[in-house]
Amino acid sequence: MVLRQAIIENAKRAKREGRLQQQHYFAPLKEESRKCLKTLATYRANSRNPYTTRRYPLSRVAAVLVALFIGRWGDLYVLLSRRADDLKSYAGDTALPGGKREKGDKSPEDTARREAYEEPALNTPEVSILFSHPLRSLIVPPPSFPSLYHSQLSASDMNPEAPTPPSDQPPYHTFNDIEWGEPKTHVRIHKFLTGKEPNVKPLFGLTAAILLRVATIGYADVRPDFDIEAPDQRSMQERLFWAMLNEPKLVEACKKEGIQMKRNDGSAAAKTQATFPLSTPAVRVKKEFNSFVI
């Protein structure tokens, strides 16, 4: 009788845990999340495959993957990592999975998928932490981001029982306009807290710019309450063109690969097309099993 009762209790417990797991892992999508996924899945950049157009040096090309998944409350989250401290470049930074183009990669999407698989799955020494971040919070920053408290909750569904962040907590989103190029113009550098400081650095620089681009495309109906670009910021295509004419490593790579550049005055000029300089994000929409390049 005791054994039979124990078996019945275990079965009931397993059933309860199964229901809880199903509720946790299969939360229904919010309507705005569903709309965002559909928008991203149908988006197409106004440029051809940069690996075949030969518009800029392939030896200096890289790509990153923006992997989206559903959070516990039906919001969309993006997969991020903290780079290992012993890496030669960008050690300890918060990053998207990705890396340089390799021979055999036919498109930025190939590069992004290959690198994303290698980093978390095979090259574990390169990644010290994997974590997630709510995508929508990049264009609708919460009043106070719950750093070190309950960072995995959506900004729109904070747990009322969770501890309140201290009043002196740094702001979730800040930006700084830095001088860039000739003639001197400015580029806006955004910074977003990850909720895991001080062990993890904030989202910053190109990683933040890529995710802002993804968020503004996906949540097209949502207007940020801040300007994404500096007042005098040049377009990405203009900045890429300038860099290929002036940055020594890019100039040398262009020469080696036979890419002829021209200046606006006619002394040098090849028109160039690109959407992101030296790093093209391929976004993997896991729910829809579609992908695209920005």
Side-chain angles (χ1 to χ4, degrees), residues 43-58:
Y43 177 82
R44 292 295 181 271
N46 295 322
S47 61
R48 292 176 292 172
N49 182 354
Y51 286 10
T52 59
T53 56
R54 307 293 295 171
R55 298 284 183 162
Y56 49 87
L58 295 182

Side-chain angles (χ1 to χ4, degrees), residues 22-48:
Q22 188 175 14
Q23 291 172 3
H24 180 77
Y25 291 111
F26 299 96
L29 267 174
K30 286 185 175 179
E31 184 55 35
E32 65 176 3
S33 299
R34 189 185 306 277
K35 188 175 181 180
C36 176
L37 286 177
K38 287 183 178 179
T39 302
L40 291 174
T42 57
Y43 177 82
R44 292 295 181 271
N46 295 322
S47 61
R48 292 176 292 172

Side-chain angles (χ1 to χ4, degrees), residues 81-85 92-93 123-130 199-200:
S81 66
R82 180 186 183 277
R83 290 171 61 85
D85 291 323
D93 280 7
N123 293 338
T124 49
E126 293 186 10
V127 177
S128 62
I129 299 174
L130 285 174
N199 298 324
V200 174

Side-chain angles (χ1 to χ4, degrees), residues 103-281:
K103 217 170 182 181
D105 293 344
K106 297 180 180 179
S107 68
E109 184 180 337
D110 285 352
T111 302
R113 290 193 186 197
R114 176 183 50 74
E115 287 284 344
Y117 173 75
E118 290 176 356
E119 284 184 11
L122 302 178
N123 293 338
T124 49
E126 293 186 10
V127 177
S128 62
I129 299 174
L130 285 174
F131 62 100
S132 63
H133 196 85
L135 181 66
R136 189 177 184 273
S137 71
L138 297 171
I139 54 174
V140 186
S144 60
F145 196 71
S147 177
L148 298 177
Y149 286 87
H150 41 290
S151 61
Q152 294 305 307
L153 293 181
S154 162
S156 59
D157 288 297
M158 292 302 179
N159 184 348
E161 299 180 359
T164 303
S167 58
D168 60 347
Q169 181 177 328
Y172 166 69
H173 171 235
T174 56
F175 61 81
N176 184 34
D177 293 346
I178 62 169
E179 286 190 349
W180 191 92
E182 288 288 349
K184 294 296 183 184
T185 55
H186 293 83
V187 173
R188 180 156 294 177
I189 305 298
H190 294 270
K191 182 171 72 173
F192 298 89
L193 295 182
T194 62
K196 298 183 177 297
E197 293 78 10
N199 298 324
V200 174
K201 293 181 182 179
L203 275 168
F204 181 75
L206 184 57
T207 299
I210 290 171
L211 290 179
L212 268 173
R213 176 71 171 149
V214 173
T216 54
I217 292 172
Y219 297 103
D221 296 335
V222 179
R223 183 178 296 275
D225 60 1
F226 58 90
D227 292 329
I228 294 178
E229 296 184 345
D232 61 343
Q233 184 164 321
R234 299 291 183 89
S235 70
M236 187 62 73
Q237 183 174 338
E238 289 174 317
R239 284 182 282 147
L240 178 61
F241 184 63
W242 184 92
M244 292 171 68
L245 286 168
N246 295 276
E247 294 292 339
K249 290 183 178 180
L250 286 177
V251 171
E252 182 63 25
C254 286
K255 288 181 180 178
K256 285 184 178 179
E257 298 187 29
I259 298 176
Q260 300 295 322
M261 300 297 297
K262 276 191 184 181
R263 298 183 185 279
N264 291 333
D265 58 9
S267 58
K271 293 182 180 178
T272 184
Q273 295 180 352
T275 51
F276 272 94
L278 312 183
S279 183
T280 303

